[in-house]
Amino acid sequence: KAGVTQTPRYLIKTRGQQVTLSCSPISGHRSVSWYQQTPGQGLQFLFEYFSETQRNKGNFPGRFSGRQFSNSRSEMNVSTLELGDSALYLCASSVPTSANTGELFFGEGSRLTVL
Amino acid sequence: AQTVTQSQPEMSVQEAETVTLSCTYDTSESDYYLFWYKQPPSRQMILVIRQEAYKQQNATENRFSVNFQKAAKSFSLKISDSQLGDAAMYFCAYRGDFGNEKLTFGTGTRLTIIP
């Protein structure tokens, strides 16, 4: 069974640009969550999608957005990039049913550098 | 809001010895999940062990075990017979009950294995 796949793995952007990151969850997983990881702030929750609906949102500005498609694939977008957006962006998928184990499965992440 | 605290930024242990990583959390919920995730230098977050709050028995996975003290809101990880491959960042994480896929992470503990 393929794991969570994130693309691209690495990217470099300049301030003011926008970026779109993609996440393909494990087959059968319908919930996708996004996290930002930085040395200073650690791992912070961005948002979670289930059945194409955003169910939960972290404390990030409106420049951070996301969406989920009918096949459960998800994208997140960051507009008007700032230097502080440089981070590892992690995607995680899960089976949000009452019978699940509670575990989230993570991808390898997309490393964004903003110059 | 839930918080997770890991008070040990770095730990080291001799190969084959035992090490315990500490984690405390704060929540007003009665049902929840606790996890220890490992993030090796390759970056992919891997689940080490999970604990459901309603279970009194401490979880065990081979060389990994937890000491879950619900009243004290403590969730420590014990690694026995430490191996070189155990070197990584270890994150303690909290997840609320069904329907809430958000993970709240601690700041992590960097574990070094001394040959």
Side-chain angles (χ1 to χ4, degrees), chain A:
Chain A
K1 202 174 196 181
V4 178
T5 303
Q6 291 188 246
T7 57
R9 292 287 307 278
Y10 303 89
L11 65 167
I12 300 173
K13 295 285 187 179
T14 57
R15 280 183 298 175
Q17 287 187 311
Q18 74 164 18
V19 65
T20 298
L21 309 178
S22 178
C23 172
S24 293
I26 292 172
S27 177
H29 287 193
R30 295 170 62 195
S31 172
V32 174
S33 305
W34 289 89
Y35 293 81
Q36 181 195 65
Q37 186 175 21
T38 60
Q41 299 297 317
L43 282 150
Q44 293 188 288
F45 172 77
L46 280 157
F47 26 64
E48 184 240 340
Y49 288 88
F50 174 69
S51 291
E52 302 178 64
T53 300
Q54 186 183 89
R55 290 202 303 184
N56 215 338
K57 188 178 190 308
N59 188 26
F60 278 82
R63 299 185 297 107
F64 291 80
S65 63
R67 59 178 175 169
Q68 186 180 34
F69 302 94
S70 58
N71 62 357
S72 294
R73 190 177 71 85
S74 177
E75 289 181 348
M76 67 163 282
N77 183 277
V78 188
S79 62
T80 318
L81 284 166
E82 301 177 359
L83 295 179
D85 297 333
S86 294
L88 180 66
Y89 290 88
L90 294 171
C91 171
S93 73
S94 65
V95 183
T97 70
S98 58
N100 76 353
T101 60
E103 178 182 358
L104 271 65
F105 296 82
F106 285 84
E108 292 186 303
S110 293
R111 169 74 66 186
L112 170 65
T113 301
V114 182
L115 301 176

Side-chain angles (χ1 to χ4, degrees), chain B residues 5-47:
Chain B
T5 302
Q6 293 180 250
S7 58
Q8 307 154 314
E10 297 184 354
M11 292 281 285
S12 60
V13 63
Q14 291 281 149
E15 195 175 0
E17 296 297 309
T18 296
V19 64
T20 299
L21 308 184
S22 302
C23 173
T24 59
Y25 60 95
D26 190 27
T27 183
S28 58
E29 297 177 322
S30 57
D31 292 324
Y32 49 86
Y33 297 89
L34 294 166
F35 305 91
W36 280 97
Y37 277 90
K38 167 185 176 181
Q39 189 178 39
S42 65
R43 300 186 327 209
Q44 186 161 24
M45 200 84 71
I46 303 165
L47 178 69

Side-chain angles (χ1 to χ4, degrees), chain B residues 26-97:
Chain B
D26 190 27
T27 183
S28 58
E29 297 177 322
S30 57
D31 292 324
Y32 49 86
Y33 297 89
L34 294 166
F35 305 91
W36 280 97
Y37 277 90
K38 167 185 176 181
Q39 189 178 39
S42 65
R43 300 186 327 209
Q44 186 161 24
M45 200 84 71
I46 303 165
L47 178 69
V48 174
I49 198 165
R50 77 173 67 81
Q51 176 80 42
E52 292 92 333
Y54 68 88
K55 290 186 177 179
Q56 293 186 338
Q57 186 173 6
N58 289 325
T60 299
E61 288 287 342
N62 300 315
R63 299 182 295 107
F64 300 87
S65 62
V66 299
N67 183 2
F68 173 50
Q69 302 289 328
K70 190 173 183 179
K73 296 180 180 173
S74 171
F75 182 62
S76 60
L77 173 70
K78 185 171 82 172
I79 305 174
S80 304
D81 185 27
S82 297
Q83 301 176 359
L84 294 177
D86 295 333
M89 281 290 288
Y90 286 80
F91 292 95
C92 178
Y94 171 101
R95 208 208 87 174
D97 201 4

